[in-house]
Amino acid sequence: MAVFGHVFPFYADPKPTFPMDTALAVIITIFLTALVTFIIILPGIRGKTRLFWLLRVVTSLFIGAVILAVTFSSEWSVGQVSTNTTYKAFSPEWISADIGLQVGLGGVNITLTGTPVQQLNETINYNEKFTWRLGENYAEEYAKALERGLPDPVLYLAEKFTPRSPCGLYHRYRLAGHYASAMLWVAFLCWLLTNVMLSMPVLVYGGHMLLATGIFQLLALLFFSTVTSLTPPCPMHLGTAVLHTHHGPAFWITLTTGLLCVLLGLVMAVAHRMQPHRLKVFFNQSAEEDHMLEWSPEEGGLLSPRYRSMAESPEPQDIPLSEASSEACCKEEHPEETNCAL
């Protein structure tokens, strides 16, 4: 039973929680700073290219920010339930709370918020994270949570993801997160190459890299969905309710961004075949920048120079030489002859 006015003296108070994930906050801050910087220099661009330039910058920053944000997000698979459940071990006290579960590529996040927050003479607002990334030991983090005396709902959900749990959620989600994270990092590298190539007169290859960016994002979704659906779902009973999980915002945002990259990559490929000059105008590249490269859509692109055949080559012309120069050439070729004439 609770003592000292329903206060549990042997348990630590809940940690103060940041309103959002710190890694996500850093990523958003960096990309918003870059966007503001580009907007500040926007008035220095003249004509209609200002609108094209702003559209390109916003789209590119959005794609890059999404790839990094979902990589560190904990909302690939989410679930939430409102229930009445026990609060702490060795106590018959029950609470009414909202319990949330967010599973990411590198760990699981569990929230417990009382309804109302003030119950049993204390604030019930927990946000605990357990990771399984490389270099992290999930079992040790769970053991530390037991020592801290976290609430029963938090420990119950965390125990479902331990390596020794019969549910097998640890191995399933850890494998899915490993391959999905690898695909997203490859997609991020493709996004960097896309920006480099689109700033050079090789737009078609920039479109190809943008297409690859979308494909690798879709591959990440495929790995996550396939691996997480190999085993049947594990029931999670919390008091009088059952917690069910489903795909979260990070999954659907990745799907949307991946399809957007594939669509834009295909549009660039078609525009390169059908309207190459308009594509250059959109990317603010004039024809003078690559006048040395004569290309045609049938020959593969901007880096395929068109060599002239023998029939198209100009006929060799005889260039008349002066009398002095011809006499000098003759003496060099026939030094034994005394008279050299044309």
Side-chain angles (χ1 to χ4, degrees):
M1 295 179 61
V3 294
F4 302 107
H6 298 286
V7 176
F8 298 87
F10 303 106
Y11 296 114
D13 293 334
K15 300 182 300 182
T17 58
F18 191 67
M20 65 186 305
D21 187 32
T22 53
L24 184 62
V26 170
I27 293 171
I28 293 178
T29 303
I30 292 175
F31 279 88
L32 283 181
T33 303
L35 179 60
V36 171
T37 303
F38 284 120
I39 292 178
I40 291 176
I41 66 176
L42 186 63
I45 303 176
R46 299 179 179 179
K48 62 180 180 180
T49 57
R50 178 186 305 174
L51 178 61
F52 295 157
W53 187 83
L54 178 62
L55 182 60
R56 297 197 311 267
V57 168
V58 172
T59 304
S60 179
L61 291 178
F62 171 76
I63 294 173
V66 166
I67 295 175
L68 283 183
V70 298
T71 303
F72 295 98
S73 175
S74 60
E75 296 187 353
W76 281 76
S77 182
V78 299
Q80 187 171 359
V81 66
S82 299
T83 183
N84 296 321
T85 181
T86 58
Y87 181 45
K88 291 289 181 73
F90 309 109
S91 172
E93 300 289 346
W94 282 54
I95 61 171
S96 176
D98 293 330
I99 304 173
L101 175 65
Q102 297 90 31
V103 183
L105 303 181
V108 59
N109 196 78
I110 303 171
T111 60
L112 175 67
T113 306
T115 52
V117 177
Q118 296 291 335
Q119 296 185 52
L120 303 181
N121 199 27
E122 66 174 288
T123 301
I124 302 176
N125 187 15
Y126 292 85
N127 189 348
E128 302 295 331
K129 186 174 183 179
F130 304 86
T131 58
W132 53 60
R133 290 185 183 273
L134 296 178
E136 302 290 342
N137 192 325
Y138 187 93
E140 290 184 1
E141 294 188 8
Y142 177 71
K144 292 179 180 178
L146 289 174
E147 295 176 359
R148 291 170 50 199
L150 292 180
D152 278 355
V154 176
L155 295 177
Y156 172 78
L157 292 179
E159 189 273 336
K160 291 291 185 180
F161 289 88
T162 55
R164 296 184 179 182
S165 175
C167 292
L169 297 178
Y170 174 82
H171 302 285
R172 187 180 6 161
Y173 279 101
R174 187 172 184 271
L175 184 63
H178 176 75
Y179 286 105
S181 179
M183 292 296 102
L184 288 176
W185 280 115
V186 175
F188 182 73
L189 293 178
C190 292
W191 172 77
L192 292 177
L193 291 176
T194 300
N195 288 276
V196 173
M197 292 183 177
L198 292 182
S199 62
M200 303 169 60
V202 285
L203 300 179
V204 62
Y205 297 109
H208 292 168
M209 295 309 301
L210 184 59
L211 183 62
T213 303
I215 291 176
F216 279 109
Q217 290 182 75
L218 298 180
L219 285 177
L221 298 177
L222 179 62
F223 280 120
F224 186 83
S225 301
T226 302
V227 177
T228 55
S229 60
L230 292 178
T231 58
C234 181
M236 301 179 186
H237 299 278
L238 294 165
T240 58
V242 179
L243 178 65
H244 299 281
T245 59
H246 53 85
H247 293 314
F251 183 92
W252 299 114
I253 291 176
T254 306
L255 177 61
T256 304
T257 309
L259 294 177
L260 175 63
C261 292
V262 171
L263 178 61
L264 293 178
L266 293 176
V267 168
M268 289 188 62
V270 174
H272 173 71
R273 294 283 181 176
M274 307 298 296
Q275 298 290 338
H277 297 291
R278 292 187 178 182
L279 185 64
K280 291 181 182 179
V281 171
F282 181 80
F283 284 94
N284 196 23
Q285 294 184 5
S286 59
E288 288 78 8
E289 294 180 1
D290 55 345
H291 64 279
M292 297 300 296
L293 295 176
E294 298 182 12
W295 64 277
S296 62
E298 293 79 6
E299 293 173 353
L302 291 171
L303 291 185
S304 298
R306 181 177 179 270
Y307 298 100
R308 286 189 260 190
S309 62
M310 295 297 296
E312 297 177 355
S313 300
E315 299 252 345
Q317 299 179 0
D318 295 332
I319 301 177
L321 300 177
S322 63
E323 182 177 355
S325 61
S326 60
E327 183 177 356
C329 294
C330 182
K331 288 183 178 180
E332 291 178 0
E333 294 179 358
H334 307 283
E336 66 278 2
E337 296 182 8
T338 57
N339 296 324
C340 289
L342 289 175

